[in-house]
Amino acid sequence: MRVPFTWLKSYVPELESPEVLEERLAGLGFETDRMERIFQMPKGVVYAQVLEAHPIPETHLKRLVLDAGRVVEVVSGAGNARAGIGVALALPGTEVKGLKVGERTIQGVVSHGMALSPRELGVGEYGGGLLEFPPGALPPGTSLAEAWPEEVVLDIEVTPNRPDALGILGLALDLHALGYSLVLPQVRLETEKVPLPFGLRVDDPQGAPHFTLSYASGLQVGPSPLWLQRILFACGMRPISNVVDVTNYVMLERAQPMHAFDLRFVGEGILVRRAKPGERLVTLDGVERELHPEDLVIAGYRGEESFPLGLAGVMGGAESEVKEDTRAIALEVAQFDPVSIRKTARRHGLRTEASYRFERGVDPLGQVPAAQRALSLLQTLAGARVAETILEEGSPQAPRPIPFRPDYANQLLGTQYPEEEQLAILRRLGCRVEGEGPYRVTPPSRRLDLELEEDLVEEIARIQGYETIPLDLPAFFPAPDNRGVERPYQRERRLRELLSGLGFQEVYTYSFMDPEEASFFRLSPPPWRLKNPLSPEKAALRTHLFPGLLKLLRENLALDRPERALLFEVGRVFTKEGPWAREETHLAGLLFGEGLGLPHGEKLSGYALLKGLLEALLDRLGLDLGVEAHPYPFLHPGVSGKVWVAGEEKGFLGQVHPEILKALELPPVHIFELSLPLPERPFRFQDPSRYPLALRDLAVVVPEATPYGEVEALLRQAAGPYLESLRLFDLYQGPPLREGEKSLAFHLRFRHPQRTLKDEEVEEAMARLLAALRARGWDIRG
């Protein structure tokens, strides 16, 4: 945002210099990108009044007769060259943009100098016409270097949470909080009790929560006075006419955009609505645009028929703009929904000063004061007659009081600011302070960022100066309710560390999914869809993690041909519980490709490898894993299991269904997915036993379809209290076993914690095992 020093100084007269202002603004949180000096007028440029303007036959040129303290003639090709206006005249001998102006004969007419455009004069970028001044703006022949002195402009960065600072008054009020005196502009408005020639209807109160419409007539449209043009040029805007310039000036002053509609094109009144399909509008930039049904438009109406006049909050229409012969206007000052304005501006590729401010939010109570300020200026500069009545739709809400405790502010900041000093700062910021401990502080409506007590504390620190906060860290003791709040994050971090140690690589995928993919992955339709998705492929919230892992694997295989992949993700999924949304954290893993080499040249791969890695993970957490055969529609019918962790059902493990793999053009892939948090089992230290263990091996012959877990459970139950551990070390099928049988061989470790086991006790345990196995109909191998 461009801030002319002299304009800001007119509200804060005690400002010392631009350099001091830069320092003060930086302390308030507004960094200066650059400081520049502008309006360095060439010597020899004077104010001149155009007395006559005569077309030169068979050319586009005109012969201008000027009063520049003496009568002179110049030739100009500017389209706006006409009698009655004031211009900037470079007299012969003046150097303009490195070129010396002289006397020249053009089409038989001697031109004694050159009438200048804003670009030629160096005050703006517009070069399509003469710089216009109102008649009598200065005595003819006055040097513009004296009447239009040099200006210093600070180009500052305004953070998105401070839309009020996009107006000069917002910055002035912040400087006032530092202790500077403040001079507010006086609004002197004389109104008349006249009937309004138009009505107002708002069909979309969500898009336009507050809309006002004022009436001004008897306008004399012409160039703006020198002081107003100077401010607009300094702020990077081109003066158009006194009426349009006033609306831009008040926008720059109060961060409240507004628009004036020529009353001749309004019809019976103004209607605020969404655009109709196929509707078109020629905007002020001369471009015809096809409107989108979600665009908020300002329309005129006659009876039931309505027609667009402008894109709300972005740009007005060319037809209804203020022209030289405009005599009456409808002045719109409104508050629009920031999201709607941002979408409209983006759709049409329009970024205007108005949309920039509306996107960030405007003062919800600032519309009527801004309208009155503009109308008072129109009365002074354009001779407007102003109607007393202002049409108004919507009921903007005043800010709510915020509890405030000065001692809490000091505790949070680690400071010793006196209570009265803190309250004085809040009052200088425009807050209303009521009550006594805790105080009730109502922020000014322009400060949309002040909602919490901590926001007020931040204001105290900002105005006092961050350099006054001690460098020592304040003592901080978390409230009892906050103790242990970080435990879920620590557990997730521990999971990530363990999985990385096992060889997994962590990935992140989108929390969104394509609703059409649910049937592809054999899942139920996602219960939650986005109202405004980034794209159709991200229109719903995901219910599982594994589809994202599979798509990520496919994308990487398309780029490269890795031999194996071991991936995991910890992320959120979104399901439905009754009528309510349920957000859960899941852990998913994926295994693809070559397996893990074992000591004797064997390889563990596929389901067995992934299950082993999952067992190793849980073992490090002190948990045991159980897998029970269970059909899942997205898993291979023969390699699909339900996962139990410490006796709780937690997810699934298996091979992806062949049809899904075929559609994705993937080789066999194994996955697991668990819901978090996992059960917690506290670790207890136990001294290792000093007594020897007894080792036994046992091979059990069971039907091929018998699950491993069933055999393990029987062995643990029958072995008795001295079984320390058992481990499967061999799976065998083939002769001499019968077809349909398999042999599971176990290492069994027996140990007594307090003494040496006797052989008789171990043999008794083995006898119980054999009896239990035979009772089940299973056999013992060799």
Side-chain angles (χ1 to χ4, degrees), residues 56 61-66 70-76 89 92 102-114:
I56 298 176
L61 304 175
K62 295 177 183 176
R63 178 175 63 86
L64 305 182
V65 180
L66 307 172
R70 59 187 176 86
V71 177
V72 297
E73 289 188 359
V74 300
V75 175
S76 175
L89 174 66
E103 292 186 358
R104 293 190 302 162
T105 301
I106 304 173
Q107 295 292 323
V109 178
V110 179
S111 182
H112 301 273
M114 182 171 70

Side-chain angles (χ1 to χ4, degrees), residues 388-566:
E388 181 180 47
T389 303
I390 295 180
L391 297 181
E392 191 171 2
E393 287 288 337
S395 301
Q397 298 298 314
R400 294 179 300 175
I402 303 170
F404 177 72
R405 298 161 292 171
D407 56 341
Y408 174 68
N410 280 326
Q411 179 187 347
L412 203 60
L413 298 171
T415 55
Q416 299 293 327
Y417 299 144
E419 180 174 312
E420 280 306 316
E421 195 172 316
Q422 295 186 44
L423 300 179
I425 287 173
L426 295 175
R427 292 189 181 101
R428 291 200 301 270
L429 283 167
C431 299
R432 187 171 71 250
V433 181
E434 301 170 306
E436 292 184 7
Y439 296 93
R440 295 170 66 249
V441 176
T442 305
S445 58
R446 72 177 190 278
R447 290 299 301 271
L448 307 180
D449 57 318
L450 301 183
E451 297 178 341
L452 306 172
E453 184 176 15
E454 287 75 12
D455 297 330
L456 300 178
V457 173
E458 184 181 5
E459 290 299 288
I460 299 296
R462 190 172 67 94
I463 301 303
Q464 284 282 15
Y466 296 120
E467 70 279 1
T468 65
I469 299 175
L471 296 178
D472 297 334
L473 289 175
F476 178 75
F477 301 99
D481 292 344
N482 290 338
R483 291 194 178 115
V485 71
E486 75 284 356
R487 286 185 63 194
Y489 305 99
Q490 291 176 345
R491 289 163 64 181
E492 286 184 19
R493 184 176 63 184
R494 174 70 172 150
L495 274 176
R496 289 182 166 96
E497 291 172 350
L498 291 173
L499 285 162
S500 298
L502 289 169
F504 283 84
Q505 182 176 0
E506 185 173 10
V507 298
Y508 296 90
T509 61
Y510 282 107
S511 297
F512 312 122
M513 64 176 293
D514 186 346
E516 305 302 323
E517 285 184 350
S519 58
F520 176 85
F521 286 104
R522 300 180 166 225
L523 297 172
S524 301
W528 304 109
R529 300 199 178 203
L530 304 180
K531 287 186 176 180
N532 183 33
L534 296 173
S535 66
E537 295 77 23
K538 300 179 180 66
L541 294 174
R542 64 186 176 186
T543 58
H544 290 77
L545 299 181
F546 77 87
L549 295 181
L550 291 172
K551 290 190 290 183
L552 185 66
L553 176 63
R554 181 183 61 177
E555 291 168 6
N556 280 271
L557 288 177
L559 299 173
D560 196 5
R561 284 289 171 186
E563 294 182 356
R564 64 193 299 266
L566 197 55

Side-chain angles (χ1 to χ4, degrees), residues 26-49:
L28 290 170
F30 306 109
E31 292 291 336
T32 300
D33 281 348
R34 62 174 179 164
M35 186 189 300
E36 60 177 327
R37 297 183 179 274
I38 59 174
F39 302 154
Q40 296 166 343
M41 298 288 179
K43 293 181 179 179
V45 177
V46 299
Y47 171 81
Q49 185 87 29

Side-chain angles (χ1 to χ4, degrees), residues 696 757-766:
R696 297 290 186 273
L757 280 175
K758 298 177 182 178
D759 287 342
E760 295 83 1
E761 292 174 312
V762 178
E763 294 306 324
E764 183 181 343
M766 291 299 296

